[in-house]
Amino acid sequence: MPGAEVRRRPRQHGRVPQPLQPFLHDLVGQVAAPTQVWSRTDGQVVPRPDGAADVSGLVHADVVLLSGIEVSVEGDAGVPVAHRSLPDGREVFTALLRRLDAEHADTGDPRVRLDRTRDVQPGRVAEELVVSSTLDVGLRVAVEVALVPSGTAMGAVRQSGPVAPVEIAGTAEGTVTWSAEGIEVALAALGATIVERGARVVLRWELDLPARGAVGVGWSVDLDEPEPFVVAAPPEAYAEVALTGPDLDPRLAPWLARSVADLASLRLALPSAPGDVFYAAGAPWYFTLFGRDSLWAARLTLPLGLDVARGTLRTLARLQGRRDDPRTGEQPGKIPHELRREDLQLGGMTLPPLYYGTVDATPLWVCLLHDAWRAGIDEADVAELLPALEAALGWLTAQTEAPGAEGFLRYVSAGSQGLANQGWKDSGDAVRSTDGAYAAGAIALCEVQGYAYEAALSGAALLEGFDRPGAEALRAWAEELAERFRRTFWCDPSGSAEEAYPALALDGQGRRVDSLTSNVGHLVGTGLLNLEEEWQVARLVTSPALDSGLGLRTMATTDVPYAPLSYHCGSVWPHDTAIVVDGLVRAGLGEAAEPLVQGLLAASVAFDQRLPELWSGEGAPVPYPAACRPQAWSAAAAVVVARRAGVFGAEPA
């Protein structure tokens, strides 16, 4: 633009470049919690030439144990031509070995090929390699698999730190072993010659490939963790969902099937309670228990069954805060944010292994308990959790009475020892005004007040249903919160009621953070808004400024900070859209949700039925290149849409 100031980044002389999180949008991921494998679409895992850690490879319980997996035949990786996913979760990679067919090199006829089938199970990875030929003569071929053992923690991977080397314990009778972060690794390759070449372990087979025949070999890795921090949950037992009917959208069935399979692959438990299942938040970055994420995923997937809701509630109740600890954010009654193997170093921030920096997990825990109770969870299970319920409600009401809270549920930035923002939009730049200014002080997010209101009423119903005192006081507290919210949060820039909207937040000075965001949609169905206000929010979330056509933007295009590939200021998160759809349905405004439903269905096709964590808000299927997939609450979006379509019976009241 003529006359505009041009800003140039100064050159860095002698400075260490800032670490960049690896991208994974073009990788193939196979997940069987707590194990996962990420590779290129040709099946290869190629170490970075600069020696930095990458997400590609074999990952188990937040540790990369193989950072290189390269297959070749006679020194040739072949020409990749196909990749397909099998219904049982295996992946097949096909390459043509044209160099082995010199006679037909001048034609396009493929005569020799390699099919590589990878199977990932909890604690085990196996590959079958089959070389086949339609030549009229036999060949002598050498098949090699070059592996790079490592022991790199996921925190280092996210910052492109160096690959952590490991010491190979030796090769004997076709096996290789090493250990890292308390995980024992045993590599086996029947019939192979095993040699070490620098940092690589090379498996080699000399094979006779018959004329018009095939020959196969295989290798496997078994993982044992004597003292794990998470374990694989028992296999899922979801009933098969019948998807029939003339009015059912044909896009729904394949999307729901893939999503249910992805949810099954994310099932985890703690070793102290292996029967209490929860969903890992997402692969590969958040492959563990997350309070907010696991709660929302369990809540949105209640139509699939009650075991995950029960397990999530019980697991988080065991970890519920008992004392005040500023370092971890723990407070009595507070539900934690995340559980890790060890401290997570991320940029200039350090998160402890058990971290409580979340303002919304505690009310969401109460809401899930209530919804699971209404859905038919055993009353004995609810009764067992009543002390945790009372502690959570005590934390909730105490927060609004704290100095400076002014009657709202708030959080304060934890600085270098924790997350700057502690709602679901927890990136450092997520809470900004329409002019781009950053919010400061003790922040009260709009949707969190909705969660708090709903939790108070849900808690009151539970207390009353189990003959516990305190229900009326909670209802009175909730009504005061609603009136306070109505007086304080609503923005009306033009003086027109039709253009009014709830602010994203209040800052520490009580000023409105006046950007228009998807957060307002989370208020619908909580009860905090009256019917007229819910209709107004329904109009906002389906307006062109927020509805991208492929889901709900996190920030309106009319706000200065809007950027379509910003993590929280313009991108689309499918769980965010699904929560709003679910809220509209619960509020009796199901018809208003139709544009958002159609956007999710279109996105399911665009992203091959596996919705990633997020994507661009520009209205085209442009991936956010570091997004998790599968992501539990993204997969749960399919269940929300299926429930609205009547797949699981009547829509929720």
Side-chain angles (χ1 to χ4, degrees), residues 42-169:
D42 61 358
Q44 303 283 56
V45 176
V46 181
R48 286 174 45 165
D50 60 2
D54 201 350
V55 69
S56 298
L58 163 60
V59 186
H60 181 83
D62 263 2
V63 182
V64 180
L65 298 167
L66 278 175
S67 57
I69 310 172
E70 296 180 78
V71 174
S72 63
V73 179
E74 287 294 311
D76 179 20
V79 179
V81 292
H83 156 247
R84 57 194 172 99
S85 303
L86 300 182
D88 61 5
R90 292 179 298 161
E91 298 285 341
V92 181
F93 308 91
T94 299
L96 304 181
L97 302 170
R98 302 184 72 192
R99 294 181 183 176
L100 298 185
D101 184 14
E103 182 180 347
H104 302 91
D106 58 343
T107 74
D109 295 350
R111 304 300 180 100
V112 186
R113 61 188 276 177
L114 168 66
D115 289 291
R116 176 180 183 179
T117 303
R118 180 182 298 138
D119 184 25
V120 178
Q121 301 295 331
R124 179 177 171 82
V125 175
E127 281 197 0
E128 180 186 24
L129 312 173
V130 176
V131 183
S132 57
S133 169
T134 56
L135 295 173
D136 292 325
V137 296
L139 299 173
R140 181 75 171 172
V141 296
V143 176
E144 287 193 349
V145 181
L147 305 167
V148 181
S150 69
T152 312
M154 188 59 74
V157 172
R158 290 185 68 177
Q159 299 185 85
S160 294
V163 171
V166 293
E167 184 176 345
I168 303 299

Side-chain angles (χ1 to χ4, degrees), residues 17 20 65 83 100 164 173 209 228 258 327 377 452 483 545 615:
L20 299 175
L65 298 167
H83 156 247
L100 298 185
E173 299 180 357
L209 176 61
R258 180 60 182 263
R327 188 182 78 86
I377 197 172
E483 287 304 315
W615 55 83

Side-chain angles (χ1 to χ4, degrees), residues 231-242:
V231 297
E236 54 85 17
Y238 299 138
E240 186 171 345
V241 180

Side-chain angles (χ1 to χ4, degrees), residues 62 153-156 159 327-328 338 340-346 349-355 417:
D62 263 2
M154 188 59 74
Q159 299 185 85
R327 188 182 78 86
T328 65
E338 65 182 280
R340 294 279 188 179
R341 172 187 298 277
E342 57 189 15
D343 282 358
L344 177 64
Q345 305 285 338
L346 197 57
M349 179 179 64
T350 301
L351 300 184
L354 180 57
Y355 177 53
Q417 292 305 308

